[in-house]
């Protein structure tokens, strides 16, 4: 039996400062895993930097958001015969040294979505107070909706098996693929699991969660979570 092929998908929007560090660390710590950069409407050298390092790039003409970039990555992965898609942020916050631990439960057949969590085990990472409150809130929302506690619903370090990618390439939140996505996948019968990871400060650039998006985030996610609950599982 052939070993499943994994593809690391990096959504990147104006990440010319942090992307080189992320790609170089991936090459050192996980040289056996393929990488794709989805240039999500960047106006800087993001795409050029990836190509100079021999990494395939798919570019959007405009910024679609994290969800839109991941959809593009899932379609590319499926078209090129990959069995697992790994979401990894471009900003250097995720340690590629945890990649094989993230893949392990999927490879063992224990789950369909593996989530890298900062809160399964005690680490030195401390999110801002508002972010922590949001994580507690949406962890509770997910637990009420599907009966499973997910400690880190906003994690941007996840692995999805092929069956999940086949659905998500067409049906995926465009801006905040967090609690509503996890609820939807669980209600479709996909198994979720968390793996302990450590988070670091971003290397450079600006966070996707700007002040405006941080204020908008809880309302959008609560409404989206409610809509998922009202929707008949696919």
């Amino acid at each position: 039996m052939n070993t499943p092929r994994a593809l690391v998908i990096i959504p990147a929007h104006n990440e010319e400062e942090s992307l080189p560090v992320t790609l170089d660390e991936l090459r050192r710590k996980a040289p056996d895993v393929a990488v794709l950069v989805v240039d999500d409407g960047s106006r800087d050298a993001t795409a050029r930097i990836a190509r100079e390092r021999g990494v395939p790039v798919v570019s959007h003409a405009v910024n679609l958001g994290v969800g839109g970039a991941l959809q593009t990555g899932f379609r590319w992965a499926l078209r090129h015969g990959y069995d697992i898609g790994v979401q990894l942020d471009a900003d250097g916050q995720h340690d590629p040294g945890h990649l094989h631990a993230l893949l392990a439960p999927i490879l063992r057949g224990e789950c369909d979505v593996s989530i890298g969590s900062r809160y399964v085990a005690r680490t030195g990472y401390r999110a801002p107070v508002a972010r922590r409150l949001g994580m507690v809130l949406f962890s509770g929302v997910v637990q009420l909706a599907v009966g499973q506690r997910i400690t880190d619903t906003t994690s941007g370090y996840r692995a999805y098996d092929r069956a999940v990618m086949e659905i998500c390439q067409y049906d995926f939140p465009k801006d905040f693929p967090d609690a509503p996505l996890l609820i939807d996948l669980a209600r479709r019968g996909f198994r979720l699991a968390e793996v302990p990871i450590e988070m670091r400060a971003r290397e450079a650039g600006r966070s996707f969660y700007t002040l405006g998006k941080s204020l908008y985030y809880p309302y959008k996610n609560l409404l989206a979570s409610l809509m998922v609950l009202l929707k008949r599982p696919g």
Side-chain angles (χ1 to χ4, degrees):
M1 182 176 177
N2 293 331
T3 302
R5 301 172 65 216
L7 175 71
V8 173
I9 302 166
I10 302 179
H13 176 63
N14 294 335
E15 293 284 5
E16 65 178 6
E17 295 181 59
S18 57
L19 186 60
V21 177
T22 299
L23 293 178
D24 291 347
E25 188 178 23
L26 259 171
R27 181 169 294 174
R28 290 195 313 272
K29 295 185 175 181
D32 55 328
V33 179
V35 182
L36 172 73
V37 169
V38 180
D39 167 29
D40 191 25
S42 299
R43 296 181 179 275
D44 63 4
T46 291
R48 176 177 59 79
I49 286 168
R51 292 191 180 100
E52 287 176 350
R53 283 164 169 74
V55 176
V57 178
V58 177
S59 293
H60 292 163
V62 296
N63 178 245
L64 299 181
V66 175
L70 286 172
Q71 276 191 297
T72 295
F74 292 151
R75 290 171 185 166
W76 197 94
L78 293 168
R79 191 177 304 122
H80 290 82
Y82 288 95
D83 305 290
I84 303 172
V86 180
Q87 172 188 354
L88 185 144
D89 292 346
D91 57 16
Q93 289 188 291
H94 303 147
D95 186 347
H98 295 296
L99 181 58
H100 291 289
L102 190 69
L103 292 170
I106 293 181
L107 295 174
R108 292 194 298 262
E110 297 172 357
C111 68
D112 307 294
V113 181
S114 177
I115 304 163
S117 172
R118 294 158 279 193
Y119 305 112
V120 169
R122 185 179 295 275
T123 70
Y125 177 78
R126 296 287 291 175
V129 173
R131 183 81 60 85
R132 292 202 301 272
L133 290 174
M135 290 172 182
V136 171
L137 169 64
F138 288 105
S139 177
V141 169
V142 172
Q143 186 165 7
L144 285 172
V146 303
Q148 179 180 357
R149 184 168 184 259
I150 300 296
T151 63
D152 199 347
T153 60
T154 65
S155 173
Y157 201 3
R158 301 179 185 171
Y160 306 84
D161 72 7
R162 186 176 183 87
V164 176
M165 289 196 293
E166 286 173 347
I167 287 176
C168 289
Q169 67 173 323
Y170 300 115
D171 188 4
F172 201 76
K174 293 296 187 294
D175 45 8
F176 301 118
D178 297 329
L181 171 66
L182 299 179
I183 293 170
D184 188 31
L185 292 177
R187 295 186 77 228
R188 289 175 187 262
F190 292 114
R191 299 162 298 163
L192 314 179
E194 288 190 291
V195 172
I197 63 165
E198 293 184 8
M199 280 277 284
R200 307 176 295 202
R202 78 167 13 249
E203 285 293 329
R206 297 174 57 191
S207 171
F208 172 76
Y209 292 97
T210 59
L211 176 60
K213 288 181 177 178
S214 295
L215 294 173
Y216 169 64
Y217 176 89
Y219 303 103
K220 171 66 182 290
N221 267 264
L222 282 173
L223 179 60
S225 297
L226 177 61
M227 295 303 294
V228 169
L229 288 171
L230 294 175
K231 184 176 70 173
R232 181 177 298 177

